[in-house]
Amino acid sequence: DIQMTQSPSTLSASVGDRVTITCRASQSISSWLAWYQQKPGKAPKLLIYDASSLESGVPSRFSGSGSGTEFTLTISSLQPDDFATYYCQQYNRAWTFGQGTKVEIK
Amino acid sequence: EVQLVESGGGLVQPGRSLRLSCTASGFTFGDYAMSWFRQAPGKGLEWVGLIRRKAYGGTTEYAASVKGRFTISRDDSKSIAYLQMNSLKTEDTAVYYCTRDREVRVGELFYHYYYYMDVWGKGTTVTVSS
């Protein structure tokens, strides 16, 4: 199985901050990586696919980068609606997720 | 509006069976692979299984944790995907989500397909307890 490791597990930030979340794969997954946002009691929402492609309707303050084994999700200017848990997911071989990064209010 | 609605969850005893349904609307169901995921209370997301579209044989794949116990099927005429869960264990307790899977085709002579999940249902809760 391909293991996905996110860091940090929790991130405290303020509105307007630039936020970066890192995701590492246990082996190369090329660019087969997605990022999801999940709020409490809600389903995950697709933000980024193919490592850097922005899903339609997702604000442009979200961006993704990386390939191989190292990936990042960046929120350029954190908004009140962005406080949530973020998951990376590889789809190179089966589907596995990172453990999640909770972005909370500082 | 593209929508997925899961149903069929509930409280079930260990060893018993349950069938979940995922009813789709707002898109051509038969053109998409569909998957099931789950999330145990307070935990992260876990893939359960996938079913490809009929044009690719409607084949299925399963996570090792459910292989041999869970079965995914689809009825394209009704736009419904099913998750049949047998021999349930307490560790199967979770919110179960179905997803619509977007396909990426790679290759020229021989194709390989990758799938990521672009639409999620709201989920249905399964509790396995005596």
Side-chain angles (χ1 to χ4, degrees), chain B residues 34 50-54 56-62 72:
Chain B
M34 301 293 292
L50 170 144
I51 185 165
R52 293 178 181 81
R53 51 180 168 135
K54 289 279 174 61
Y56 300 156
T59 54
T60 53
E61 294 185 39
Y62 299 97
I72 299 175

Side-chain angles (χ1 to χ4, degrees), chain B residues 28-121:
Chain B
T28 303
F29 182 77
D31 287 349
Y32 289 86
M34 301 293 292
S35 289
W36 287 91
F37 290 82
R38 66 184 180 183
Q39 188 168 35
K43 302 296 184 183
L45 295 158
E46 180 187 17
W47 170 66
V48 172
L50 170 144
I51 185 165
R52 293 178 181 81
R53 51 180 168 135
K54 289 279 174 61
Y56 300 156
T59 54
T60 53
E61 294 185 39
Y62 299 97
S65 58
V66 307
K67 198 169 185 178
R69 298 189 299 125
F70 290 12
T71 302
I72 299 175
S73 60
R74 61 189 299 156
D75 185 335
D76 290 358
S77 68
K78 296 180 179 177
S79 297
I80 299 177
Y82 298 101
L83 178 64
Q84 177 67 44
M85 304 185 292
N86 298 332
S87 304
L88 281 161
K89 306 176 181 180
T90 55
E91 53 263 42
D92 295 320
T93 293
V95 175
Y96 284 74
Y97 297 101
C98 70
T99 66
R100 184 182 81 168
D101 303 338
R102 196 180 292 169
E103 175 184 297
V104 181
R105 190 176 74 178
V106 174
E108 294 183 1
L109 287 179
F110 298 98
Y111 299 129
H112 186 84
Y113 297 91
Y114 296 90
Y115 298 94
Y116 61 92
M117 292 70 209
D118 68 341
V119 179
W120 294 64

